[in-house]
Short mmCIF file of all heavy atoms in Angstrom, two decimals:
data_model
loop_
_atom_site.label_atom_id
_atom_site.label_comp_id
_atom_site.label_asym_id
_atom_site.label_seq_id
_atom_site.Cartn_x
_atom_site.Cartn_y
_atom_site.Cartn_z
N ARG A 22 1.86 5.02 -10.79
CA ARG A 22 2.44 6.22 -11.38
C ARG A 22 3.55 5.89 -12.36
O ARG A 22 3.71 6.53 -13.40
CB ARG A 22 2.99 7.16 -10.30
CG ARG A 22 3.40 8.51 -10.92
CD ARG A 22 4.58 9.15 -10.22
NE ARG A 22 4.20 9.81 -8.97
CZ ARG A 22 5.02 10.62 -8.32
NH1 ARG A 22 6.24 10.86 -8.78
NH2 ARG A 22 4.65 11.16 -7.18
N MET A 23 4.32 4.86 -12.04
CA MET A 23 5.44 4.49 -12.91
C MET A 23 4.99 3.69 -14.13
O MET A 23 5.80 3.38 -14.99
CB MET A 23 6.46 3.69 -12.11
CG MET A 23 7.19 4.54 -11.06
SD MET A 23 8.06 5.93 -11.84
CE MET A 23 8.50 6.90 -10.39
N GLY A 24 3.70 3.37 -14.21
CA GLY A 24 3.18 2.71 -15.39
C GLY A 24 3.34 1.20 -15.41
O GLY A 24 3.15 0.57 -16.45
N PHE A 25 3.68 0.61 -14.26
CA PHE A 25 3.86 -0.84 -14.23
C PHE A 25 2.52 -1.56 -14.39
O PHE A 25 2.45 -2.64 -14.98
CB PHE A 25 4.53 -1.25 -12.92
CG PHE A 25 4.83 -2.72 -12.83
CD1 PHE A 25 5.97 -3.24 -13.43
CD2 PHE A 25 3.99 -3.58 -12.15
CE1 PHE A 25 6.25 -4.60 -13.36
CE2 PHE A 25 4.26 -4.94 -12.07
CZ PHE A 25 5.40 -5.45 -12.68
N LEU A 26 1.47 -0.98 -13.83
CA LEU A 26 0.13 -1.54 -13.98
C LEU A 26 -0.89 -0.41 -13.92
O LEU A 26 -0.58 0.72 -13.55
CB LEU A 26 -0.14 -2.60 -12.91
CG LEU A 26 0.25 -2.38 -11.44
CD1 LEU A 26 -0.40 -1.19 -10.82
CD2 LEU A 26 -0.05 -3.63 -10.63
N SER A 27 -2.09 -0.72 -14.31
CA SER A 27 -3.16 0.26 -14.28
C SER A 27 -3.63 0.48 -12.84
O SER A 27 -3.68 -0.47 -12.05
CB SER A 27 -4.33 -0.23 -15.12
OG SER A 27 -5.52 0.50 -14.83
N PRO A 28 -3.99 1.71 -12.48
CA PRO A 28 -4.51 1.94 -11.12
C PRO A 28 -5.86 1.26 -10.88
O PRO A 28 -6.32 1.22 -9.74
CB PRO A 28 -4.62 3.46 -11.05
CG PRO A 28 -4.71 3.92 -12.46
CD PRO A 28 -3.89 2.95 -13.25
N ARG A 29 -6.48 0.72 -11.93
CA ARG A 29 -7.74 -0.02 -11.77
C ARG A 29 -7.53 -1.53 -11.88
O ARG A 29 -8.51 -2.28 -11.85
CB ARG A 29 -8.74 0.44 -12.83
CG ARG A 29 -9.07 1.93 -12.80
CD ARG A 29 -9.73 2.36 -11.50
NE ARG A 29 -10.11 3.77 -11.50
CZ ARG A 29 -11.32 4.22 -11.83
NH1 ARG A 29 -12.26 3.36 -12.18
NH2 ARG A 29 -11.59 5.51 -11.80
N ASP A 30 -6.29 -1.96 -12.02
CA ASP A 30 -6.01 -3.40 -12.11
C ASP A 30 -6.45 -4.07 -10.80
O ASP A 30 -6.13 -3.59 -9.71
CB ASP A 30 -4.50 -3.59 -12.33
CG ASP A 30 -4.14 -5.03 -12.67
OD1 ASP A 30 -4.46 -5.93 -11.87
OD2 ASP A 30 -3.52 -5.24 -13.72
N PRO A 31 -7.16 -5.19 -10.88
CA PRO A 31 -7.58 -5.87 -9.65
C PRO A 31 -6.42 -6.21 -8.71
O PRO A 31 -6.58 -6.13 -7.48
CB PRO A 31 -8.26 -7.15 -10.17
CG PRO A 31 -8.74 -6.77 -11.54
CD PRO A 31 -7.71 -5.84 -12.09
N ALA A 32 -5.25 -6.56 -9.29
CA ALA A 32 -4.09 -6.86 -8.43
C ALA A 32 -3.65 -5.62 -7.66
O ALA A 32 -3.21 -5.72 -6.51
CB ALA A 32 -2.94 -7.41 -9.27
N TRP A 33 -3.78 -4.47 -8.31
CA TRP A 33 -3.40 -3.24 -7.60
C TRP A 33 -4.43 -2.86 -6.56
O TRP A 33 -4.09 -2.46 -5.44
CB TRP A 33 -3.18 -2.08 -8.57
CG TRP A 33 -2.98 -0.81 -7.82
CD1 TRP A 33 -3.78 0.27 -7.77
CD2 TRP A 33 -1.89 -0.53 -6.91
NE1 TRP A 33 -3.28 1.22 -6.91
CE2 TRP A 33 -2.12 0.75 -6.37
CE3 TRP A 33 -0.77 -1.25 -6.52
CZ2 TRP A 33 -1.26 1.33 -5.45
CZ3 TRP A 33 0.10 -0.66 -5.61
CH2 TRP A 33 -0.15 0.61 -5.09
N LEU A 34 -5.70 -2.97 -6.89
CA LEU A 34 -6.75 -2.60 -5.95
C LEU A 34 -6.69 -3.47 -4.69
O LEU A 34 -6.89 -2.98 -3.57
CB LEU A 34 -8.11 -2.70 -6.61
CG LEU A 34 -8.37 -1.70 -7.75
CD1 LEU A 34 -9.72 -1.94 -8.39
CD2 LEU A 34 -8.26 -0.26 -7.25
N SER A 35 -6.38 -4.75 -4.85
CA SER A 35 -6.26 -5.60 -3.67
C SER A 35 -5.01 -5.26 -2.87
O SER A 35 -5.00 -5.36 -1.64
CB SER A 35 -6.27 -7.07 -4.07
OG SER A 35 -5.15 -7.41 -4.86
N THR A 36 -3.92 -4.85 -3.56
CA THR A 36 -2.72 -4.39 -2.85
C THR A 36 -3.03 -3.13 -2.05
O THR A 36 -2.63 -3.00 -0.88
CB THR A 36 -1.59 -4.10 -3.85
OG1 THR A 36 -1.26 -5.30 -4.55
CG2 THR A 36 -0.35 -3.58 -3.13
N LEU A 37 -3.77 -2.22 -2.66
CA LEU A 37 -4.15 -0.99 -1.97
C LEU A 37 -5.02 -1.29 -0.76
O LEU A 37 -4.86 -0.69 0.32
CB LEU A 37 -4.88 -0.06 -2.96
CG LEU A 37 -5.10 1.39 -2.55
CD1 LEU A 37 -3.79 2.08 -2.20
CD2 LEU A 37 -5.81 2.14 -3.68
N ASP A 38 -5.92 -2.26 -0.90
CA ASP A 38 -6.76 -2.65 0.24
C ASP A 38 -5.92 -3.22 1.38
O ASP A 38 -6.17 -2.94 2.56
CB ASP A 38 -7.80 -3.68 -0.21
CG ASP A 38 -8.88 -3.08 -1.09
OD1 ASP A 38 -9.08 -1.86 -1.02
OD2 ASP A 38 -9.53 -3.85 -1.85
N ALA A 39 -4.92 -4.05 1.02
CA ALA A 39 -4.07 -4.64 2.05
C ALA A 39 -3.27 -3.57 2.78
O ALA A 39 -3.14 -3.60 4.01
CB ALA A 39 -3.13 -5.66 1.42
N MET A 40 -2.74 -2.61 2.04
CA MET A 40 -2.02 -1.50 2.68
C MET A 40 -2.94 -0.70 3.57
O MET A 40 -2.57 -0.31 4.69
CB MET A 40 -1.40 -0.59 1.61
CG MET A 40 -0.25 -1.20 0.83
SD MET A 40 0.48 0.05 -0.26
CE MET A 40 1.66 -0.93 -1.18
N ASP A 41 -4.15 -0.46 3.09
CA ASP A 41 -5.10 0.32 3.87
C ASP A 41 -5.40 -0.34 5.21
O ASP A 41 -5.55 0.32 6.24
CB ASP A 41 -6.39 0.49 3.06
CG ASP A 41 -7.35 1.48 3.70
OD1 ASP A 41 -6.99 2.66 3.81
OD2 ASP A 41 -8.44 1.06 4.11
N ALA A 42 -5.44 -1.66 5.20
CA ALA A 42 -5.76 -2.39 6.43
C ALA A 42 -4.59 -2.47 7.39
O ALA A 42 -4.78 -2.52 8.61
CB ALA A 42 -6.23 -3.81 6.07
N GLU A 43 -3.34 -2.45 6.88
CA GLU A 43 -2.19 -2.72 7.74
C GLU A 43 -1.26 -1.53 7.95
O GLU A 43 -0.70 -1.35 9.04
CB GLU A 43 -1.39 -3.87 7.14
CG GLU A 43 -0.20 -4.30 8.01
CD GLU A 43 0.42 -5.58 7.51
OE1 GLU A 43 -0.31 -6.58 7.38
OE2 GLU A 43 1.64 -5.59 7.23
N LEU A 44 -1.06 -0.70 6.92
CA LEU A 44 -0.07 0.38 7.00
C LEU A 44 -0.68 1.75 7.24
O LEU A 44 0.05 2.70 7.54
CB LEU A 44 0.77 0.42 5.71
CG LEU A 44 1.61 -0.81 5.39
CD1 LEU A 44 2.42 -0.58 4.11
CD2 LEU A 44 2.54 -1.16 6.54
N VAL A 45 -1.99 1.87 7.08
CA VAL A 45 -2.64 3.19 7.16
C VAL A 45 -3.31 3.35 8.52
O VAL A 45 -4.04 2.48 8.98
CB VAL A 45 -3.68 3.35 6.03
CG1 VAL A 45 -4.35 4.72 6.13
CG2 VAL A 45 -3.01 3.17 4.67
N SER A 46 -3.02 4.50 9.15
CA SER A 46 -3.62 4.84 10.43
C SER A 46 -4.21 6.24 10.33
O SER A 46 -3.47 7.24 10.31
CB SER A 46 -2.57 4.78 11.55
OG SER A 46 -3.10 5.23 12.78
N ASP A 47 -5.53 6.32 10.21
CA ASP A 47 -6.20 7.62 10.11
C ASP A 47 -5.61 8.44 8.97
O ASP A 47 -5.28 9.61 9.12
CB ASP A 47 -6.12 8.38 11.42
CG ASP A 47 -7.02 9.61 11.44
OD1 ASP A 47 -8.08 9.57 10.79
OD2 ASP A 47 -6.65 10.61 12.09
N SER A 48 -5.44 7.80 7.81
CA SER A 48 -4.91 8.40 6.58
C SER A 48 -3.40 8.62 6.60
O SER A 48 -2.83 9.04 5.59
CB SER A 48 -5.61 9.73 6.23
OG SER A 48 -6.99 9.53 6.06
N LEU A 49 -2.73 8.37 7.72
CA LEU A 49 -1.28 8.45 7.78
C LEU A 49 -0.71 7.06 7.49
O LEU A 49 -1.27 6.05 7.91
CB LEU A 49 -0.82 8.93 9.15
CG LEU A 49 -1.30 10.33 9.56
CD1 LEU A 49 -0.86 10.63 10.99
CD2 LEU A 49 -0.79 11.38 8.60
N VAL A 50 0.42 7.02 6.79
CA VAL A 50 0.92 5.75 6.25
C VAL A 50 2.32 5.45 6.79
O VAL A 50 3.23 6.30 6.71
CB VAL A 50 0.95 5.78 4.71
CG1 VAL A 50 1.41 4.44 4.15
CG2 VAL A 50 -0.44 6.13 4.16
N TYR A 51 2.48 4.25 7.33
CA TYR A 51 3.80 3.75 7.72
C TYR A 51 4.51 3.18 6.49
O TYR A 51 3.88 2.64 5.58
CB TYR A 51 3.67 2.65 8.78
CG TYR A 51 3.19 3.14 10.12
CD1 TYR A 51 1.83 3.11 10.44
CD2 TYR A 51 4.09 3.62 11.06
CE1 TYR A 51 1.38 3.56 11.67
CE2 TYR A 51 3.64 4.06 12.30
CZ TYR A 51 2.30 4.04 12.60
OH TYR A 51 1.86 4.49 13.83
N ARG A 52 5.84 3.27 6.49
CA ARG A 52 6.60 2.71 5.37
C ARG A 52 6.46 1.19 5.33
O ARG A 52 6.26 0.60 4.28
CB ARG A 52 8.08 3.08 5.49
CG ARG A 52 8.35 4.57 5.37
CD ARG A 52 9.82 4.86 5.32
NE ARG A 52 10.50 4.62 6.60
CZ ARG A 52 11.79 4.81 6.80
NH1 ARG A 52 12.56 5.23 5.81
NH2 ARG A 52 12.34 4.59 7.99
N TYR A 53 6.61 0.57 6.47
CA TYR A 53 6.52 -0.87 6.63
C TYR A 53 6.47 -1.13 8.13
O TYR A 53 6.57 -0.20 8.94
CB TYR A 53 7.73 -1.59 6.00
CG TYR A 53 9.08 -1.09 6.51
CD1 TYR A 53 9.71 -1.69 7.60
CD2 TYR A 53 9.71 -0.01 5.91
CE1 TYR A 53 10.92 -1.23 8.08
CE2 TYR A 53 10.92 0.48 6.38
CZ TYR A 53 11.52 -0.14 7.47
OH TYR A 53 12.73 0.33 7.95
N ASP A 54 6.34 -2.37 8.51
CA ASP A 54 6.30 -2.73 9.93
C ASP A 54 7.66 -3.28 10.33
O ASP A 54 8.00 -4.41 9.98
CB ASP A 54 5.21 -3.78 10.17
CG ASP A 54 5.11 -4.20 11.63
OD1 ASP A 54 5.86 -3.65 12.46
OD2 ASP A 54 4.28 -5.08 11.92
N PRO A 55 8.48 -2.50 11.09
CA PRO A 55 9.82 -3.00 11.47
C PRO A 55 9.77 -4.28 12.30
O PRO A 55 10.72 -5.06 12.27
CB PRO A 55 10.40 -1.83 12.28
CG PRO A 55 9.63 -0.63 11.86
CD PRO A 55 8.25 -1.13 11.55
N ALA A 56 8.68 -4.50 13.01
CA ALA A 56 8.59 -5.73 13.80
C ALA A 56 8.46 -6.95 12.90
O ALA A 56 9.01 -8.02 13.19
CB ALA A 56 7.39 -5.65 14.75
N ALA A 57 7.76 -6.79 11.78
CA ALA A 57 7.60 -7.90 10.84
C ALA A 57 8.76 -8.01 9.88
O ALA A 57 9.03 -9.08 9.34
CB ALA A 57 6.29 -7.72 10.06
N ALA A 58 9.45 -6.88 9.66
CA ALA A 58 10.58 -6.86 8.73
C ALA A 58 11.74 -6.15 9.41
O ALA A 58 11.97 -4.96 9.18
CB ALA A 58 10.20 -6.15 7.43
N PRO A 59 12.50 -6.83 10.28
CA PRO A 59 13.61 -6.19 11.00
C PRO A 59 14.57 -5.49 10.04
O PRO A 59 14.96 -6.05 9.01
CB PRO A 59 14.28 -7.37 11.71
CG PRO A 59 13.19 -8.39 11.84
CD PRO A 59 12.35 -8.25 10.61
#
């Protein structure tokens, strides 16, 4: 949204995939993992 990269950029799509696997739970999204980042 801020224009840093295209929403179709491969680097962004892989970032989105990583978030989907780790931060997303049934479409709900955690900010980060406090256990991994105290």
Side-chain angles (χ1 to χ4, degrees):
R22 188 213 281 192
M23 292 301 169
F25 184 81
L26 44 60
S27 164
R29 302 297 183 94
D30 190 303
W33 172 247
L34 293 177
S35 64
T36 299
L37 193 56
D38 288 339
M40 290 186 186
D41 189 63
E43 184 171 305
L44 297 182
V45 180
S46 174
D47 191 32
S48 300
L49 299 176
V50 183
Y51 291 93
R52 295 187 291 180
Y53 55 92
D54 180 1

